[in-house]
Amino acid sequence: MSKKRLIGALSILAVLTQSCGGGGLFGGGNESDQGNLIGSQDRPEWDPGVLPYGMTSVPGGTFHMGQADEDITYSMINMNKQVTISGFFMDETEITNNEYRQFIEGMEAESDTSADWTFEQIQEELRPDTTVWEKDFTYHMGEPMQDYYYSHPAFDDYPVVGVTRRAAVEFCAWRTRHYNGYRTEQGLAEMPAFRLPTEAEWEYSARGGLDMAKYPWGGPYVRNGKGCALANFKPGRGNYYDDGYSYTSPVAAYFPNGFGLYDMSGNVAEWCDDAYNPSGYPIVWDLNPTYTDPNEPKKIVRGGSWKDIPYYIQTGTRSYEFETQARSYIGFRCVMINLGRSSGLDY
């Protein structure tokens, strides 16, 4: 049978046996190609189902990006737009103090053999700025948080703060080197790079499969039937402790959303990859949209934080910060593209 007829027969068989999608037509290579076109055989091992530690799989899909409730500031910067997002992996939680400490120690070790970052630059530009607990708020006794939040093991599982967007980007680069260095040693194919999520990826993830959801748990309320807060935010005027924590909470202290992601609303706001543009929504594409502008110092921050009222922890509320500015209420998490197209049967 000719190759064309064989492919045709296999295609018909695939249609008859599967209603949605199908598998590849050809299996692994032979020891000898016997004169046939079978592709190069000396390739690293690749498992498309591999899931990096601490991450969860976010399936691709389509959703309505934008404000899910009344725009109380009437900013008109997040009008609804239907977009499609490809599948990717995302950290289940925000990067913690102890995870970030591993990065700092790794960078310090690299500084002995690399000229990219000196030890002094690492301390000045990458190490968390603990003084943000004093500088961010007027007439606030922030010394205990300044002295202990990053350094004491009691806060190891709390989200790292006081990092600029540049530091978050460098964390992603180091994490990629660290992860793929191990895979290369094991003879495995390299994984795609870790990076910050685009604004669209972040919002799609935050909704957890609930299109137009006001909050990651759906909504419209910020408390459950027992009156318990569903996230770490500012429930009322001056009442920071009503959700259980005066400042940040340990990661995963509240229930996850439909994608298994924790703290997509509240705890700490999160750096995104996009530059800020109040008119960005209408001009970006509707497939994996992102707005890039290296000359724009304002970068997107999403999710709201422990100090914010409910409006700012909504899934559709936009905010920004200058990329060189570190804050006591901004952290981050990483994503990684999921190579290949999901059949829709993987989840």
Side-chain angles (χ1 to χ4, degrees):
M1 183 182 293
S2 69
K3 182 177 180 180
K4 289 184 178 180
R5 290 181 179 177
L6 175 60
I7 293 175
L10 291 173
S11 299
I12 294 173
L13 179 61
V15 171
L16 293 175
T17 57
Q18 289 188 325
S19 59
C20 297
L25 295 178
F26 303 102
N30 301 320
E31 288 295 329
S32 172
D33 61 25
Q34 300 179 351
N36 296 309
L37 183 64
I38 62 171
S40 174
Q41 300 301 293
D42 187 17
R43 303 287 289 157
E45 182 181 346
W46 171 249
D47 179 5
V50 67
L51 192 66
Y53 178 77
M55 288 189 144
T56 189
S57 182
V58 178
T62 300
F63 80 113
H64 289 84
M65 185 176 179
Q67 196 67 44
D69 198 7
E70 182 182 5
D71 184 5
I72 62 173
T73 61
Y74 204 66
S75 58
M76 306 295 287
I77 61 173
N78 48 356
M79 307 300 289
N80 289 119
K81 179 175 183 176
Q82 182 169 305
V83 300
T84 295
I85 303 296
S86 300
F88 59 97
F89 304 135
M90 178 178 254
D91 283 326
E92 294 178 331
T93 70
E94 294 143 340
I95 297 301
T96 65
N97 282 319
N98 207 31
E99 289 172 335
Y100 197 84
R101 186 175 295 107
Q102 182 185 0
F103 156 64
I104 293 296
E105 292 172 352
M107 289 293 291
E108 290 173 347
E110 288 182 7
S111 68
D112 296 335
T113 58
S114 172
D116 292 338
W117 287 88
T118 66
F119 185 86
E120 291 73 19
Q121 288 175 319
I122 293 170
Q123 306 309 309
E124 293 176 4
E125 300 181 44
L126 301 183
R127 194 176 183 86
D129 180 5
T130 58
T131 64
V132 294
W133 294 104
E134 277 285 308
K135 297 185 297 186
D136 283 349
F137 312 105
T138 305
Y139 302 120
H140 163 249
M141 191 185 71
E143 290 93 339
M145 299 296 283
Q146 175 178 299
D147 293 344
Y148 298 112
Y149 185 75
Y150 178 68
S151 62
H152 199 280
F155 291 102
D156 275 358
D157 293 329
Y158 285 64
V160 68
V161 297
V163 294
T164 65
R165 182 177 175 278
R166 185 188 183 193
V169 169
E170 191 60 38
F171 175 95
C172 294
W174 171 85
R175 187 178 180 184
T176 301
R177 294 195 303 272
H178 184 65
Y179 188 51
N180 280 333
Y182 170 79
R183 289 184 60 85
T184 300
E185 291 177 355
Q186 301 301 311
L188 303 174
E190 291 188 355
M191 293 290 286
F194 294 95
R195 57 177 173 81
L196 296 178
T198 66
E199 183 178 17
E201 287 174 333
W202 189 97
E203 185 173 326
Y204 175 70
S205 302
R207 296 182 189 272
L210 302 175
D211 195 20
M212 299 299 294
K214 185 177 179 179
Y215 298 106
W217 51 87
Y221 306 111
V222 293
R223 297 178 184 272
N224 63 19
K226 296 182 178 180
C228 301
L230 294 169
N232 183 11
F233 63 105
K234 184 181 178 181
R237 294 185 178 181
N239 190 3
Y240 294 89
Y241 193 67
D242 199 29
D243 55 29
Y245 302 92
S246 298
Y247 295 99
T248 58
S249 67
V251 297
Y254 300 86
F255 290 112
N257 71 0
F259 289 155
L261 300 167
Y262 296 87
D263 302 316
M264 295 301 286
S265 280
N267 211 12
V268 295
E270 300 174 13
W271 288 112
C272 291
D273 187 58
D274 297 50
Y276 174 74
N277 184 340
S279 303
Y281 277 22
I283 63 175
V284 294
W285 203 26
D286 53 5
L287 173 60
N288 294 323
T290 183
Y291 182 81
T292 56
D293 183 356
N295 298 317
E296 174 54 69
K298 297 189 292 290
K299 305 299 183 183
I300 290 292
V301 173
R302 283 302 205 104
S305 73
W306 58 269
K307 71 167 189 63
D308 291 316
I309 60 174
Y311 170 76
Y312 291 102
I313 68 170
Q314 291 182 19
T315 56
T317 300
R318 305 183 76 201
S319 187
Y320 69 85
E321 183 55 86
F322 288 88
E323 60 183 340
T324 57
Q325 184 68 60
R327 294 292 189 185
S328 61
Y329 45 85
I330 299 179
F332 68 100
R333 72 179 79 205
C334 304
V335 299
M336 172 192 289
I337 194 67
N338 188 352
L339 293 181
R341 176 186 178 278
S342 167
S343 67
L345 304 175
D346 303 338
Y347 305 98

